[in-house]
Amino acid sequence: MPSKESWSGKKTNRAAVHKSKQEGRQQDLLIAALGMKLGSQKSSVTIWQPLKLFAYSQLTSLVRRATLKENEQIPKYEKVHNFKVHTFRGPHWCEYCANFMWGLIAQGVKCAGLNSEGLYRVSGFSDLIEDVKMAFDRDGEKADISVNMYEDINIITGALKLYFRDLPIPLITYDAYPKFIESAKIMDPDEQLETLHEALKLLPPAHCETLRYLMAHLKRVTLHEKENLMNAENLGIVFGPTLMRSPELDAMAALNDIRYQRLVVELLIKNEDILF
């Protein structure tokens, strides 16, 4: 009759064999799932072709984006703008590029109140926004819009949005509009960025440069998302219809484009460092 020690030893051996077989089956399942094939000595490992393709696609994507960023950047200005009309009623006319623009390039975009909750989403008091309009009509670039005059940053952001809405030609022009909308409908991320980059080339120089300043500013806004609760998607909702207007008179077609307008601005903000 076997002793208690020998029975315990056999039980331990059976448990070890069972565990070894279980680990072997798990390894086989993992190998099958990953598409890896092991030789008889399990020394040579062949990576499954789809994994190679996936790695290749990721590398290709990085190369395409790097090429887009370094070799095909939108040309910068070599001459300072000369905005003749500095009034709110009449958007600025630049003698250099012969386009209606309001002077955001000349003044730059000031990043004040970046931590303000709902920045650009929250509306300021219309009467005070009207005061800002009158200040620009009266004083032009010398208008005082400092915090000493307007403590509520939403008044300034409201005036900024109103400027863009009042442009006779939208910042994203009617001619370039279809290409921008086309880019928003593309599913492949790399192709989408390339199409968006081509759309930027269709903009007049003043429009493209102003868009570059604005997107850089909005990108900084998103860096304070924890405080202001404004990410690229939220800013896209606010600025999509502000910067883009459908050339189509059909109200239903224009309504259908709103989601693509939002996506265009969202993509411009997120990829500002690549596209501009």
Side-chain angles (χ1 to χ4, degrees), residues 148-159:
N148 295 327
M149 286 294 295
Y150 304 100
E151 294 184 4
D152 184 5
I153 189 63
N154 298 314
I155 298 169
I156 307 304
T157 58

Side-chain angles (χ1 to χ4, degrees), residues 34 45-59:
L34 293 177
V45 179
T46 303
I47 302 299
W48 186 37
Q49 188 64 17
L51 289 179
K52 287 184 178 180
L53 294 176
F54 174 75
Y56 177 77
S57 67
Q58 295 300 303
L59 180 60

Side-chain angles (χ1 to χ4, degrees), residues 68 71-74 175-180 182-183 186 190-204 208 268 275:
L68 191 66
N71 299 333
E72 299 181 4
Q73 286 187 337
I74 303 297
D175 290 338
Y177 183 91
K179 193 70 173 178
F180 278 92
E182 176 190 341
S183 69
I186 296 174
D190 297 314
E191 184 182 350
Q192 188 177 58
L193 280 185
E194 290 170 355
T195 304
L196 192 56
H197 191 263
E198 291 299 316
L200 287 170
K201 294 180 180 179
L202 300 177
L203 294 176
C208 189
L268 288 171
L275 292 169

